[in-house]
Amino acid sequence: MPGPGAAIALSLVATGLAAVLVYALRRPASRAERRASLQAWRNPWTYSWVALTVIACVGFSALVGLAAQSWQIEMRPSNAVLGEAIRNHPLLLLLFAALIAPAYEELLFRRVLFGRLWAAGRPGLGMALSSLAFALVHEPPGLGASHGVGMLLLWAVYAFMGAAFAWVYRQTGSLWTAYAAHVLNNLIAGAALLTAGA
């Protein structure tokens, strides 16, 4: 088995190449889109939308976790195995999980998949499909640590996150807002994993 550094490098190369290639071939941003995206950051409401999105994602995850606990349903997300690796290599793994992976995922799921359907006048379908794909990539069927209802609850959590990131992207018109919300969400999750075994 490769060590954490090698595993991260392999994931980075595989995900990064796929995201950049699909983005470049299918949905590169136009000059007008880049200008509008940067202008969105001058709007003070943009920061409120990002904060609201993160609060919704963290809150929904916490509520689902509490419900699972009260119903005695085991929810073990696949990324829980990163807990020890994060404690041993916190900067390396948090850099990957909180900065790099969200960039690639936002390009693939929000810019390309959601963005193409949004541009085609089908934002609802785009949100549904991109959220489902986001959930399945984070908890692949049959490969995750959870099964049955636990897996369904994890899919619900990730699908909600995917929908929230798509929503903030559409609300502000800037992919950077979805990226910022994703980064903050992952920083909070990474901090939770880091302190869970402390």
Side-chain angles (χ1 to χ4, degrees):
M1 287 292 293
I8 289 171
L10 289 171
S11 296
L12 181 62
V13 170
T15 310
L17 285 175
V20 171
L21 189 62
V22 171
Y23 167 76
L25 294 176
R26 305 302 295 175
R27 286 284 295 157
S30 68
R31 185 175 298 199
E33 287 174 315
R34 285 193 293 272
R35 190 169 42 249
S37 181
L38 289 174
Q39 189 171 356
W41 283 102
R42 295 189 189 107
N43 182 347
W45 281 103
T46 296
Y47 304 97
S48 300
W49 294 125
V50 170
L52 179 64
T53 303
V54 174
I55 291 166
C57 288
V58 171
F60 185 77
S61 298
L63 286 174
V64 170
L66 288 172
Q69 214 172 24
S70 70
W71 298 330
Q72 297 181 338
I73 296 169
E74 186 178 22
M75 271 178 59
R76 290 187 329 182
S78 299
N79 64 9
V81 299
L82 295 176
E84 185 178 337
I86 284 178
R87 285 186 288 281
N88 293 336
H89 309 279
L91 291 178
L92 182 64
L93 279 161
L94 285 176
L95 176 70
F96 173 74
L99 294 177
I100 298 169
Y104 294 155
E105 290 173 0
E106 291 311 312
L107 283 176
L108 281 173
F109 296 111
R110 256 60 71 188
R111 175 67 191 169
V112 176
L113 183 53
F114 171 67
R116 284 183 69 81
L117 287 162
W118 177 14
R122 306 289 302 273
L125 179 62
M127 187 177 287
L129 291 178
S130 65
S131 300
L132 177 63
F134 187 73
L136 293 175
V137 163
H138 282 82
E139 292 296 331
L143 299 178
S146 288
H147 303 285
V149 177
M151 178 66 86
L152 292 175
L153 291 174
L154 286 169
W155 284 342
V157 168
Y158 283 114
F160 182 88
M161 286 179 192
F165 299 149
W167 175 83
V168 77
Y169 173 32
R170 185 163 189 230
Q171 189 69 29
T172 62
S174 174
L175 188 65
W176 287 106
T177 58
Y179 174 69
H182 199 155
V183 165
L184 289 172
N185 180 78
N186 285 16
L187 278 172
I188 292 167
L193 282 173
L194 191 58
T195 57

